[in-house]
Amino acid sequence: MEAPDTPAPPSSGPYRVLARKYRPQTFAELIGQDAMVRTLGNSIARDRLAHAFLMTGVRGVGKTSTARLIAKALNCIGPDGQGGPTIDPCGVCEPCRAITEGRHIDVIEMDAASNTGVDDVREIIEAVRYAAVSARYKIYIIDEVHMLSRNAFNALLKTLEEPPPHVKFLFATTEVNKVPVTVLSRCQRFDLRRITPDMLFSHFSSILQKEGIEAEAPAIWLIANAAEGSVRDGLSILDQAIAHADLDGGGKIGADQVRVMLGLSDRTSIAQLMTTILDGDSAAAIDLARAQYALGIEPVAMVRGLMDLTHAVTLAKVSRHDDPALAEADRERIGDWAQKLGFAPLNRLWQLLLKGHDEVLRANNPLEHLEMLLLRVIYAASMPDPGELAKLLESGRVPTMPLAAPPASAGQETAAAAAVAEAAPATELPATSLTIAQIHQLLESSGNHRLAVQVHDHLRVIELEPGQLVFAAVPALSATFPRDLGDALLAATGSRWNVRAGEGDARPSLGEMRAATAADNEARIRELPVVKAALAAFPDASLEDPADNRHKSNP
């Protein structure tokens, strides 16, 4: 009788993370390091093996894995036990299996981070004198070799330069600049490359297929980009994404889930935030930032999202942007911005975000710093870049920034009233409702420039009512000033005015108010980054108001 079919029982062994489960076992499985594999293959084929190898590169690109593969390649004896060193170790002979399992007596792995002293190196120096027990070569794999002390490096130098023929040294480090030059000169160095997102995407897709797990392509691209060239980092993120996947949806890994898991801002929200910045809508920008913060998105992640979007738009202008993780709507939006924005504003936006990123990252209250950064970016969007400002300074045409006017005091004449007076003819002004600004304009338009200058620069009004003007006496106003001004007003309006000096609180003159406003504007303009840069480049330059020059030129 045949036994009934029953499902295989689940494995009772401990779970192995993907980074360990899919560690390369052959050079063919080592992705992204073709140049190194070719060099090693030619060296083995020509029997020109160095006595020391140094693998360097960022974390997770395969330095330690490469060292173990070299150990297997040098000690492999083939399935029949008659083979020699090969770039394609069989993986079935006893040396290959023992090295893979980490139990070969002649392959010694040492962590330099926990064995930093000269005594640890002295043990190696003593042991290299003895031949290998069962392998072709005795191999020392020293990980994070830059952690060795200076004395330890010095003790190793002589043995490293002239080791016995049966000994090979394999070093791995992420910080090759900390390894002494005397050690580097005695090693054959291999710089392992960062793995490109395309390679990581293919590698992760293959692993997911082997694991029987479905994933959206944009989700895999997000993981590949987040890995930053490290296979191990990417596999760790992939492990987390598998655990994070919604079991109700069949365990499929979605892009939105990966984005939430990685703490990335939603692309649509970042695009909306960028839109408010470009439109100059500060209130909407702050509301969007606060809404994202309430959803758990860190302010620094929002800044990074804006930087990524700025970078994407800039690359799109030169037709060099190709992100497979983007949806079609995002591609169209980036392309539209690339057509509308120039390189100068994009570069200015990038510099502001780059500086703000560090500020938000170090801030005690990141949300407040993010809000101030958004306001700074929106305000600076209308500013000329340093190059344009330098040209304006050279030509003497420095623009006046549209800064907010200071609060008006009781009875203070505003710039708007002066603008109205300039726009309206003198004959249309009612004689019983004049302001000081309008009186000044009446005198200018009637050709009485001397009296107009006195009113603008020195007339401090105490009381101004229809047909009466009381002012504070100052030495700059002559004894005949009241009579002269009364006669001029009679001629301009057809009504008699009582103009006299008096006592009491007087308002500043038009000239004093203009000077105070100009000084406040100039102080704020000088604090702008682009203005600071321009004044630093042109120390002799100054900020001037064309209106001041006009009044000074009047007789």
Side-chain angles (χ1 to χ4, degrees), residues 395-477:
S395 62
R397 295 182 292 108
V398 182
T400 302
M401 296 301 300
L403 300 176
S409 59
Q412 178 177 340
E413 287 72 20
T414 62
V420 172
E422 291 179 3
T427 57
E428 297 178 1
L429 293 174
T432 58
S433 60
L434 294 180
T435 66
I436 289 299
Q438 291 171 327
I439 292 174
H440 172 261
Q441 180 62 23
L442 279 174
L443 296 173
E444 285 277 12
S445 61
S446 63
N448 200 338
H449 301 302
R450 180 185 62 80
L451 200 57
V453 171
Q454 289 181 319
V455 168
H456 180 276
D457 293 345
H458 308 295
L459 184 62
R460 297 175 180 173
V461 176
I462 298 175
E463 181 181 348
L464 178 59
E465 295 179 357
Q468 178 167 291
L469 192 159
V470 181
F471 63 93
V474 293
L477 298 178

Side-chain angles (χ1 to χ4, degrees), residues 319-482:
S319 303
R320 285 296 181 271
H321 180 257
D322 184 19
D323 187 354
L326 283 180
E328 187 61 30
D330 295 328
R331 294 176 184 273
E332 293 178 359
R333 185 185 297 111
I334 289 175
D336 184 53
W337 279 333
Q339 292 179 354
K340 294 180 179 178
L341 298 175
F343 283 108
L346 284 171
N347 180 65
R348 183 161 61 250
L349 180 60
W350 173 263
Q351 294 296 333
L352 289 168
L353 291 173
L354 182 63
K355 184 176 184 298
H357 176 272
D358 293 338
E359 295 176 357
V360 175
L361 187 63
R362 297 193 305 265
N364 293 328
N365 191 328
L367 181 60
E368 288 184 358
H369 280 70
L370 173 63
E371 292 175 352
M372 295 303 295
L373 171 61
L374 293 176
L375 294 176
R376 186 195 315 161
V377 171
I378 291 172
Y379 181 79
S382 61
M383 286 289 296
D385 60 46
E388 295 174 354
L389 190 58
K391 294 178 181 178
L392 292 173
L393 287 169
E394 287 180 346
S395 62
R397 295 182 292 108
V398 182
T400 302
M401 296 301 300
L403 300 176
S409 59
Q412 178 177 340
E413 287 72 20
T414 62
V420 172
E422 291 179 3
T427 57
E428 297 178 1
L429 293 174
T432 58
S433 60
L434 294 180
T435 66
I436 289 299
Q438 291 171 327
I439 292 174
H440 172 261
Q441 180 62 23
L442 279 174
L443 296 173
E444 285 277 12
S445 61
S446 63
N448 200 338
H449 301 302
R450 180 185 62 80
L451 200 57
V453 171
Q454 289 181 319
V455 168
H456 180 276
D457 293 345
H458 308 295
L459 184 62
R460 297 175 180 173
V461 176
I462 298 175
E463 181 181 348
L464 178 59
E465 295 179 357
Q468 178 167 291
L469 192 159
V470 181
F471 63 93
V474 293
L477 298 178
S478 64
T480 62
F481 174 79

Side-chain angles (χ1 to χ4, degrees), residues 38-53:
R38 187 182 305 112
T39 302
L40 285 173
N42 292 339
S43 298
I44 292 174
R46 298 173 180 175
D47 195 21
R48 299 177 64 89
L49 293 171
H51 58 270
F53 299 88

Side-chain angles (χ1 to χ4, degrees), residues 15 62 70 85 109 163 224 269 275 300 314 473 522:
Y15 174 72
I70 293 176
E109 290 195 32
S269 300
T275 301
V300 69
T314 307
E522 179 175 344

